[in-house]
Amino acid sequence: MYKFKTLIEPFKIKSMEPIQLNSYEHRKKVLKEARLNLFLVPAKEVIIDLLTDSGTGAMSADQWAALMKGDESYSGSESFYRFQKSVQDITGMPYVLPTHQGRSAERILFHTLPLKGEYVVSNTLFDTTRANAEDLGFKVLDMPCSEFYQAQSEFGFKGNINLLSLEKVLHHKSVACVVLTITNNSAGGQPVSMENIKSTSILCKKYNVPLVLDACRFAENTYFIKTREKGYRDQSPLEISRKIFDQVDLCFVSAKKDGLAHIGGFICLRNEQWSEECKKRLLISEGFPTYGGLAGRDLEAIALGLKEALNESYLQYRISSVEYLHGNLRKIGIPLVLPAGGHAVYIDAKAALPSIPVSAYPAQSFSVGLYEFSGVRTCEIGSVMFGKELENGEPVFHNQELVRLALPRRVYTFSHLDYVCEAVEAFMKEKASSLRGVRIVHAPPVLRHFSAHFEWL
Ligand code: F0G
């Protein structure tokens, strides 16, 4: 049978949202008003928005139709039972608690579980997870596998946790829980292999430490296992997902990613006692446990979205579109985290802008400069997000300076991605060498990337 080479989006556009084009001069003004912080730029001033893949996806016609079935009863809503069944079918876990988004699930878990130990250990925690763990008094240890630090390595599971370091820490330190983030967002959107998940589970059982999954991109991780790991090619994404969830004690999920919804999250547990404890806190901060801060219609959207995210042709398109952008940027010599991740392409800003020292925030400079040049909004994942200022005013820098180009699900076409690629190429040729970096003029102590102010040097 003839095999087509052209990639197409496996959907048609039923309802379109116009993009407002704008000029370089206009963006310069916008950026100045936003104090060189892309989180403070109004969305209408953005031509292609790759700030995040979270809550920014396009819902399907079936999801929009399901909104009308939303049962808005305060307790025992029909929508909750449909949501619960969908989550149970995928995770195999009996206790399901909705939350208004991922970070509230994190907070409830860290606050409520009887975690005995000082450290939360992870392949890499996402920034809100880290902030919640630290805020509640835990110390955080990130230990991605050694391949992750080899920028040029094409190892297919760079999101893995370093098992040797994990065992050492479990042996010598008092560990409250181990969190595996799939895919590993802060470490290049790289997947975690089934083998690594299973080995982590064995170690956690040996040391009697709970294994928690941050599973917001579980479907994308599943597709990588299917296509890259031996023995899974003939299994469906749903079957592989179940095998992942089977390894862990509990999970928290932001439904704004592979839930294909605009808002929402949930916690799943196997332990009834823990579930009851979490429910008590849920009542205080989120709402009754059958809605958890969400409208019935949101629960309907998530119930369907989770299933659509496991559709094989959707996943093939999803991962291929990230690979398409990655491959085209690589062809024109842009330094990238290798290989392509599941939801985003990560530019290595230290290598792209070698004349800007880390103290002048190369990734922030790149993302701000690229927006000004092209209207493409990206996200800094470097020393602004993960660095800090010590009490004596001394800055601490992160070991990586990445610019994340996160692709919203089912939103942009391949021609939008061509525009992004051209934007990066032209920016590198015409603008990059004139940049001197930025300095921080104002920053709050926690999650400073959301609201810090900067100036060009
Ligand atoms: N865990 C991971 C791995 C995430 O990527 C996020 C959010 C969360 C937890 C928190 O979920 O936003 O629903 O509260 N990531 C978004 C991003 C914000 O841009 O990567 P949330």
Side-chain angles (χ1 to χ4, degrees), residues 154-376:
E154 303 244 23
F155 179 55
F157 291 103
K158 276 179 156 179
N160 283 354
I161 195 165
N162 186 323
L163 292 166
L164 287 176
S165 310
L166 175 64
E167 171 128 45
K168 260 192 219 147
V169 169
L170 285 167
H171 194 75
H172 292 292
K173 289 197 194 304
S174 123
V175 177
C177 66
V178 175
V179 179
L180 281 180
T181 310
I182 65 167
T183 55
N184 197 353
N185 184 13
S186 305
Q190 301 290 320
V192 181
S193 71
M194 186 72 86
E195 194 188 356
N196 192 258
I197 297 170
K198 284 187 176 168
S199 304
T200 306
S201 171
I202 291 169
L203 281 177
C204 286
K205 285 201 177 84
K206 178 171 161 194
Y207 289 91
N208 199 21
V209 168
L211 176 55
V212 185
L213 206 59
D214 176 348
C216 62
R217 297 184 182 84
F218 75 99
E220 289 164 6
N221 201 94
T222 291
Y223 191 74
F224 284 115
I225 290 176
K226 183 175 169 69
T227 51
R228 292 183 183 171
E229 196 165 349
K230 224 170 130 212
Y232 294 95
R233 191 159 289 275
D234 297 328
Q235 299 184 23
S236 72
L238 177 62
E239 284 170 314
I240 299 171
S241 288
R242 264 305 274 277
K243 288 186 176 147
I244 295 176
F245 287 105
D246 281 351
Q247 299 300 318
V248 305
D249 297 293
L250 63 140
C251 70
F252 61 88
V253 177
S254 163
K256 300 171 75 176
K257 285 82 169 171
D258 282 346
L260 288 169
H262 295 142
I263 195 69
F266 54 91
I267 297 170
C268 298
L269 309 103
R270 297 186 197 285
N271 182 314
E272 187 178 2
Q273 175 84 36
W274 289 3
S275 165
E276 288 307 312
E277 290 303 316
C278 287
K279 269 188 200 166
K280 287 183 201 155
R281 196 157 302 275
L282 198 75
L283 275 165
I284 297 169
S285 65
E286 298 288 290
F288 195 75
T290 58
Y291 75 86
L294 295 169
R297 58 179 176 274
D298 299 325
L299 295 170
E300 297 284 354
I302 299 168
L304 275 183
L306 290 168
K307 289 186 180 156
E308 290 181 9
L310 284 172
N311 176 292
E312 208 168 317
S313 65
Y314 158 75
L315 278 173
Q316 187 191 10
Y317 142 78
R318 170 75 179 151
I319 303 301
S320 305
S321 55
V322 179
E323 270 168 8
Y324 176 83
L325 179 61
H326 189 273
N328 287 349
L329 287 171
R330 201 172 171 190
K331 259 187 235 150
I332 56 170
I334 308 298
L336 304 172
V337 171
L338 303 181
H343 66 296
V345 173
Y346 294 69
I347 295 175
D348 178 353
K350 257 193 230 174
L353 302 176
S355 62
I356 300 184
V358 170
S359 58
Y361 303 101
Q364 179 70 10
S365 310
F366 191 107
S367 58
V368 170
L370 181 66
Y371 166 75
E372 187 179 71
F373 186 80
S374 65
V376 173

Side-chain angles (χ1 to χ4, degrees), residues 52 101-103 106 126 128 181 185 214 217 254 257 404:
T52 179
Q101 64 181 86
R103 66 199 69 183
E106 294 160 10
F126 181 65
T128 58
T181 310
N185 184 13
D214 176 348
R217 297 184 182 84
S254 163
K257 285 82 169 171
R404 185 184 72 172

Side-chain angles (χ1 to χ4, degrees), residues 39 51 125-128 130 185-186 361 364 379-388 398 400-402 404 440 445-450 454:
F39 284 100
L51 181 68
L125 289 188
F126 181 65
D127 57 0
T128 58
R130 169 187 300 273
N185 184 13
S186 305
Y361 303 101
Q364 179 70 10
C379 183
E380 189 260 15
I381 304 220
S383 298
V384 176
M385 187 180 275
F386 289 119
K388 60 181 174 193
H398 189 52
Q400 287 197 302
E401 287 289 323
L402 303 178
R404 185 184 72 172
I440 295 179
V446 181
L447 295 175
R448 63 182 183 170
H449 51 291
F450 290 128
F454 304 86

